[in-house]
Amino acid sequence: MAEEEGGECGGEEREILAMEKKMFLRNKYWVLRHGKSIPNEKGLIVSSMENGIKEEYQLADEGVGQAQLAGELFLKELKERNIPLESVRICYSPFARTSHTAKVVASVLNLPFEGPQCKMMGDLRERYFGPSFELFSHDKYAEIWALDEKDPFTRPEGGESVNDVATRLASALAIIESEFQGCAVLIVSHGDPLQILQTVLNATKQNTESSSNDLASIIQAVKVPSVLSQHRKFALVTGELRPVE
């Protein structure tokens, strides 16, 4: 993994990607939810950084296969868009299940995981649901999502609200946009963060009132309850790859 700047990607592919930059972004994005993990198999909520980075909570065998297939699909989509591998950047959460997924995808693309094209980012981590949910059953997710629909600015006790996650994802996106230009960026993260990210980016496309070109301002304008409360509409299954159109 590398934290250094990746600079600009190539020339012609920048023009190709620029055609798709209807959303004020300098790069083209894909999101990938990690493959099926050991916590998924056990039906456990593992959302704290302390637990999330433990190897015992990495991908299950099925999840490794899902990551492999996602990597192959991503490679296929890159070829269809004539995007060279030199233009790819993989940004991933530090949790074991996401770093494992990113490593498998990098291997499929024949990119060195420790090289400058792969970047671990703390702000892409899982949403922390708080001590009342940590290491409890997945069945308790329903309680959190009901709270989210009622008020996405309310935090579960000791945990993060939808707005909290949206704020740090906006920070991560700002860093990516400042470091890379004209790249194909794959964001490897978790269910809630990725659906929240998609919700925010989709809302920016619908917001025709904003005349600002400032990323932070554009995102801030759509971080409202009526938008954030609908994040479940963008849910991904484990190992699902999706372009951010």
Side-chain angles (χ1 to χ4, degrees), residues 82-157:
N82 296 314
I83 299 173
L85 291 177
E86 291 78 12
S87 295
V88 174
R89 302 292 182 271
I90 300 176
C91 299
Y92 62 95
S93 154
F95 276 43
R97 55 189 184 262
T98 38
S99 58
H100 194 178
T101 300
K103 191 171 186 178
V104 172
V105 172
S107 178
V108 172
L109 301 182
N110 199 28
L111 299 179
F113 189 59
E114 303 295 333
Q117 289 179 260
C118 297
K119 181 181 182 69
M120 183 177 72
M121 302 186 70
D123 279 340
L124 298 180
R125 66 188 181 277
E126 174 65 292
R127 176 185 181 184
Y128 180 48
F129 297 108
S132 298
F133 296 91
E134 187 70 7
L135 300 181
F136 282 88
S137 168
H138 276 181
D139 294 339
K140 290 176 71 67
Y141 277 135
E143 298 176 32
I144 300 167
W145 294 330
L147 177 64
D148 291 349
E149 285 192 29
K150 185 178 180 181
D151 183 4
F153 284 75
T154 297
R155 299 181 177 102
E157 187 177 354

Side-chain angles (χ1 to χ4, degrees), residues 126-196:
E126 174 65 292
R127 176 185 181 184
Y128 180 48
F129 297 108
S132 298
F133 296 91
E134 187 70 7
L135 300 181
F136 282 88
S137 168
H138 276 181
D139 294 339
K140 290 176 71 67
Y141 277 135
E143 298 176 32
I144 300 167
W145 294 330
L147 177 64
D148 291 349
E149 285 192 29
K150 185 178 180 181
D151 183 4
F153 284 75
T154 297
R155 299 181 177 102
E157 187 177 354
E160 291 183 292
S161 69
V162 178
N163 182 62
D164 291 333
V165 178
T167 298
R168 64 172 164 85
L169 290 173
S171 296
L173 193 62
I175 291 171
I176 294 170
E177 286 285 294
S178 69
E179 293 189 4
F180 309 133
Q181 181 175 357
C183 295
V185 180
L186 176 66
I187 295 178
V188 184
S189 187
H190 309 261
D192 268 44
L194 289 180
Q195 60 202 32
I196 293 168

Side-chain angles (χ1 to χ4, degrees), residues 42-57:
K42 292 183 175 181
L44 291 178
I45 295 175
V46 176
S47 66
S48 73
M49 181 73 83
E50 179 185 4
N51 290 322
I53 61 174
K54 294 178 180 177
E55 286 193 15
E56 65 192 86
Y57 294 133

Side-chain angles (χ1 to χ4, degrees), residues 34-38 57-61 63-64 67 96-97 100-101 104:
H34 61 79
K36 189 172 187 178
S37 65
I38 293 172
Y57 294 133
Q58 62 181 351
L59 295 183
D61 289 343
V64 175
R97 55 189 184 262
H100 194 178
T101 300
V104 172

Side-chain angles (χ1 to χ4, degrees), residues 8-21:
E8 295 188 1
C9 297
E12 290 187 8
E13 62 270 19
R14 270 214 308 277
E15 295 180 10
I16 295 170
L17 296 176
M19 294 173 63
E20 303 181 48
K21 270 197 320 184

